[in-house]
Amino acid sequence: MAAPVIVEATAKQTATLIFMHGLGDTGHGWSSALAAIRPPFMKVICPTAPTQPVSLNAGFRMPSWFDLKTLDIGGPEDEPGIQSARDNVHGMIQKEISAGIPANRIVLGGFSQGGALALYSALTYDQPLAGVVALSCWLPLHKQFPGAKVNSDDVPIFQAHGDYDPVVPYKFGQLSASLLKSFMKNVTFKTYNGLSHSSSDDEMDDVKNFITLTLLFSITGHNQ
């Protein structure tokens, strides 16, 4: 795997954001946008997915966290690939914890396929995280939930989706959010009118506010 793009904290680091890009992108795709909105004490890690064949794109090789067979909500999924990618994300979290950043000061995030991976990885991690940022995405292996969840019900989730998304249909985002709300206590689902499969300034402002608030809470709420 290519080395992740790392944006170091500009003050003493007390928090980390691990953010996964979408299909066919690299860690560079999001690093500057995230650097612009993160608090100074936060390090940002933007890993690049391994290059592999993607069934949805006729077997064409591209950076992909796991294979995508279809974008039908009930269609077959690459369960071994999703779990292997999840293990890699858990390894990145562990590395930050070993470096002295507690789990409840680590935010997981991602866009599209990366957002799907962030959601799945957070829910199946065994320590409460600071929060999850899930942009234009869905919950993979959704039929396994809430059974597969091992994290706390209280982990804050910020899910965002444009209602003009031609790639990951807005409906998938809505369905994932309503499923998440059935077993998680702190889920926000925000709609961006007219937004296609991309991000916007408004959305990034909301991500910034979410990160700031969750990290503020992790200090007051857990006596850090």
Side-chain angles (χ1 to χ4, degrees):
M1 234 163 98
V5 178
I6 294 177
V7 183
E8 296 291 356
T10 54
K12 177 178 160 50
Q13 185 199 353
T14 63
T16 302
L17 168 64
I18 302 171
F19 193 95
M20 274 71 70
H21 61 73
L23 182 68
D25 199 0
T26 69
H28 290 281
W30 281 87
S31 54
S32 53
L34 294 169
I37 64 159
R38 55 83 196 250
F41 54 77
M42 177 177 250
K43 176 168 98 174
V44 181
I45 301 173
C46 294
T48 294
T51 298
Q52 55 186 319
V54 177
S55 302
L56 190 66
N57 288 353
F60 188 74
R61 293 174 62 83
M62 59 180 64
S64 181
W65 299 108
F66 46 86
D67 190 21
L68 283 173
K69 298 173 190 294
T70 170
L71 276 178
D72 294 337
I73 198 127
E77 293 182 87
D78 174 19
E79 185 168 346
I82 292 166
Q83 292 177 342
S84 165
R86 180 233 9 225
D87 294 344
N88 284 337
V89 174
H90 287 180
M92 287 185 255
I93 297 171
Q94 212 46 56
K95 210 168 155 188
E96 289 304 295
I97 292 172
S98 301
I101 305 299
N104 70 350
R105 301 283 297 163
I106 297 171
V107 177
L108 274 193
F111 173 78
S112 193
Q113 189 194 34
L117 177 58
L119 274 176
Y120 186 78
S121 301
L123 294 171
T124 56
Y125 191 67
D126 62 1
Q127 294 182 55
L129 298 165
V132 187
V133 173
L135 309 180
S136 308
C137 68
W138 68 96
L139 175 60
L141 304 175
H142 64 274
K143 293 185 183 77
Q144 297 180 4
F145 290 94
K149 178 185 79 71
V150 294
N151 214 321
S152 154
D153 298 350
D154 295 321
V155 174
I157 296 173
F158 175 73
Q159 207 185 333
H161 219 113
D163 62 3
Y164 267 59
D165 192 329
V167 180
V168 178
Y170 175 60
K171 185 91 187 132
F172 285 14
Q174 287 179 305
L175 288 167
S176 291
S178 61
L179 174 61
L180 287 166
K181 284 176 179 174
S182 72
F183 63 89
M184 297 297 282
K185 292 177 181 163
N186 194 349
V187 180
T188 303
F189 181 75
K190 188 118 195 239
T191 302
Y192 296 86
N193 296 330
L195 182 66
S196 65
H197 194 61
S198 62
S199 188
S200 68
D201 291 345
D202 283 351
E203 185 183 68
M204 292 309 279
D205 284 345
D206 290 338
V207 170
K208 178 181 183 174
N209 292 337
F210 172 78
I211 289 172
T212 305
L213 282 172
T214 53
L215 292 171
L216 194 65
F217 175 77
S218 82
I219 294 173
T220 54
H222 300 83
N223 302 317
Q224 282 280 301

